[in-house]
Amino acid sequence: MNRNLHAPLLSGMHAGFAGRRRVLRLGAAAGTAMWLAGCAAMAPRARAQVVVVGAGWGGLGAVRQLARAELADITLIEPNDRFMSCPMSGHYVAGHGMMDELVHGYQRVDALPGVRRVRDRVRAIERERREVVLAGGSRLRYDYLVLSPGVEYMEETLPGYAAAREQLPVGFRAFEHPAVRAQVDRFLEQGGTFVISTPKPPYRCPPAPYERAMLIAEQVRKRGTRGRVLVLDANPAPTPAPTAQPILGALRGYADVLEYRPNVDLRAVDGARRVLVTGDGELRFDHANLVLPMRAHALIRQSGLGERWADVQLPNFQAKADERIFVIGDAQGSPQPKSGQVAFGQGRQVGEEIARRVRGEAAPTASSEIELPLGICWAAASHNTAINVNVVTTMLPGEAPKLRFSVDPQPSERSGSASWSWARGMWRTMLG
Ligand SMILES: Cc1cc2nc3c(=O)[nH]c(=O)nc-3n(C[C@H](O)[C@H](O)[C@H](O)COP(=O)(O)OP(=O)(O)OC[C@H]3O[C@@H](n4cnc5c(N)ncnc54)[C@H](O)[C@@H]3O)c2cc1C
């Protein structure tokens, strides 16, 4: 069992790391207080207390950078006992038996200097007190808080969805993929119409719904399933715009088993009748993967850090409402793409920013163009081919960020194999 799991938390004070720093017991006798006052002048400077929420792509970037600086006690809060990757999950969802590749333990992260992982869920953030409240009831004090809790689905935008949730899993968060895989397995066995819907942006990993559609369509062909994949896109074409033609071209490669419909306005779903209500009337389906519109995790709104997405200032991802809080990854509302590579890079950058503040160094003054974390994304068009999407974000001081895309014109085996090298490299960097 992980040595960090269920470690006792100290309410209303900094949690202790044995041998690393002094633990002060509140409510100590007056004599002890005097002794402490006498020692204060000799005491080493206290290490900063940093709490990181979410051990996904963004949170792990922050933790690794902070651990490298060795200036802080880092508490990483995550409800899951393992990491599961969304990138590359499309292959598993479409029927390839590769769950082992996607799931990784946190052992190496736990061994990083100054890191303690707590298996729990943050229930609330009390900004005035600089404390997070865990579902288990404990409280953790912080000097700096890094939030990377990811996204939630806007179920209320599709009447009928909540009642059909079990039957229609979205599968755009870790550990939800097996439920989508079960739908796909049934479809590949029984045939019929498999609907995949795509919401309007911004949402996590824009190429992912098309990728899923193509990987499933490949299996329909391979297994001779008597069925078709129907992609219902809320957009006039795949987004962001530079990816539209390459993805449309790749979708056309499956024209015998896949139909793409743009500008579809999904208005309701009736899970019992297996009917979707669209702006153009009712549509029957046999199996479906409805990718709902998304927003930041509820903690962001509940803590007054933003509405749909967290309001952050660039280039440092500090919450506009609170200089002690940084929000990174898909929960933050900058124009950067919602991708794992970007989230990890933002985490590293924020880790360095916190280390700089702890060291008491002045903020660097940017007079020329700066680069925000790079985005690298992949849209698999088959089990062996992919379209590579790279995004460079630059900013001039005082101006809005500019995004420059470079996208493969069509899928290739080269990008297919590069996507695996990229993913394995990232998993090693994050978790190895
Ligand atoms: C199908 C698919 C394919 C993708 N392909 C790519 C790709 O090719 N390249 C790429 O770069 N990106 C890709 N992505 C996007 C990538 O997965 C996300 O952008 C990335 O996961 C965002 O990182 P994050 O840290 O914001 O959120 P996450 O990685 O989701 O991490 C959030 C973490 O917070 C935890 N958490 C949630 N609530 C709480 C709470 N209350 N308390 C504590 N912890 C909590 C969660 O358990 C989770 O571990 C893909 C996504 C999908 C769905």
Side-chain angles (χ1 to χ4, degrees):
M1 191 172 131
N2 186 302
R3 69 184 161 86
N4 288 328
L5 304 189
H6 316 300
L9 302 178
L10 302 176
S11 272
M13 57 188 292
H14 301 156
F17 291 74
R20 286 261 170 93
R21 71 193 139 96
R22 294 173 308 149
V23 177
L24 308 184
R25 293 191 187 283
L26 294 179
T32 310
M34 282 172 63
W35 177 84
L36 285 173
C39 291
M42 292 179 283
R45 204 176 69 177
R47 286 160 62 88
Q49 305 304 305
V50 183
V51 172
V52 178
V53 179
W57 290 70
L60 290 172
V63 164
R64 295 208 82 107
Q65 195 67 27
L66 283 160
R68 185 181 296 180
E70 296 204 42
L71 290 164
D73 294 328
I74 306 149
T75 307
L76 173 60
I77 305 167
E78 166 63 50
N80 296 309
D81 64 347
R82 287 165 305 154
F83 168 93
M84 183 188 282
S85 180
C86 285
M88 312 314 284
S89 64
H91 298 271
Y92 163 77
V93 163
H96 297 277
M98 49 204 317
M99 185 48 100
D100 286 356
E101 282 262 43
L102 303 178
V103 177
H104 302 263
Y106 285 120
Q107 304 87 311
R108 297 261 166 80
V109 175
D110 297 339
L112 292 171
V115 175
R116 184 178 58 133
R117 180 165 55 91
V118 174
R119 193 170 169 202
D120 206 336
R121 186 180 296 279
V122 173
R123 179 158 51 83
I125 300 165
E126 295 190 1
R127 284 170 42 204
E128 293 293 307
R129 301 165 67 123
R130 274 202 250 143
E131 285 178 0
V132 295
V133 185
L134 304 189
S138 315
R139 288 172 171 271
L140 280 171
R141 190 93 172 270
Y142 60 82
D143 297 315
Y144 296 100
L145 176 63
V146 181
L147 298 176
S148 197
V151 294
E152 65 177 30
Y153 309 129
M154 297 168 73
E155 293 189 355
E156 74 285 0
T157 60
L158 191 63
Y161 181 82
R165 189 187 299 126
E166 299 286 305
Q167 180 192 345
L168 299 169
V170 178
F172 264 51
R173 292 181 302 211
F175 296 99
E176 295 176 358
H177 310 120
V180 186
R181 164 74 179 259
Q183 297 284 328
V184 174
D185 283 347
R186 269 197 293 280
F187 163 64
L188 291 173
E189 205 181 296
Q190 298 166 2
T193 299
F194 190 103
V195 165
I196 296 189
S197 68
T198 305
K200 286 190 188 298
Y203 63 94
R204 169 171 279 187
C205 194
Y210 312 105
E211 168 182 274
R212 264 190 199 168
M214 290 189 278
L215 289 167
I216 297 168
E218 183 187 31
Q219 293 300 313
V220 171
R221 263 194 203 148
K222 240 186 209 158
R223 300 191 196 185
T225 301
R226 294 159 76 89
R228 64 171 187 151
V229 179
L230 179 57
V231 183
L232 303 180
D233 197 339
N235 304 286
T239 64
T243 67
Q245 287 315 315
I247 289 179
L248 285 174
L251 289 167
R252 275 195 292 272
Y254 289 101
D256 54 327
V257 288
L258 182 153
E259 184 189 342
Y260 173 76
R261 284 193 204 165
N263 294 315
V264 177
D265 178 19
L266 280 195
R267 297 192 175 165
V269 61
D270 182 337
R273 287 172 54 227
R274 293 179 186 261
V275 163
L276 279 165
V277 182
T278 76
D280 298 323
E282 289 197 349
L283 198 153
R284 236 197 60 74
F285 63 90
D286 298 293
H287 310 273
N289 179 202
L290 304 181
V291 181
L292 297 181
M294 297 175 202
R295 64 180 160 225
H297 190 288
L299 275 176
I300 300 299
R301 274 181 311 292
Q302 287 160 6
S303 316
L305 300 174
E307 279 307 311
R308 184 166 176 189
W309 307 105
D311 295 321
V312 294
Q313 64 185 38
L314 296 178
N316 66 4
F317 297 94
Q318 180 191 301
K320 284 188 179 161
D322 194 319
E323 63 179 14
R324 296 283 180 160
I325 299 182
F326 296 85
V327 187
I328 52 173
D330 294 354
Q332 54 78 39
S334 81
Q336 284 218 281
K338 300 203 177 297
S339 100
Q341 171 91 38
V342 167
F344 185 72
Q346 291 168 349
R348 288 239 271 229
Q349 189 183 304
V350 160
E352 187 44 45
E353 169 70 10
I354 293 172
R356 181 190 66 69
R357 292 190 192 185
V358 174
R359 285 194 292 264
E361 292 169 8
T365 46
S367 53
S368 56
E369 190 175 74
I370 47 169
E371 209 168 290
L372 293 182
L374 175 74
I376 300 180
C377 216
W378 309 89
S382 70
H383 192 45
N384 296 320
T385 63
I387 297 166
N388 174 223
V389 181
N390 286 351
V391 189
V392 174
T393 311
T394 52
M395 259 185 94
L396 280 167
E399 291 188 13
K402 288 199 180 96
L403 275 62
R404 270 198 333 272
F405 286 81
S406 80
V407 185
D408 284 345
Q410 70 258 323
S412 69
E413 285 190 4
R414 192 161 158 267
S415 287
S417 103
S419 68
W420 281 105
S421 307
W422 168 83
R424 290 177 183 133
M426 286 303 297
W427 297 330
R428 254 195 319 276
T429 307
M430 290 191 291
L431 296 139

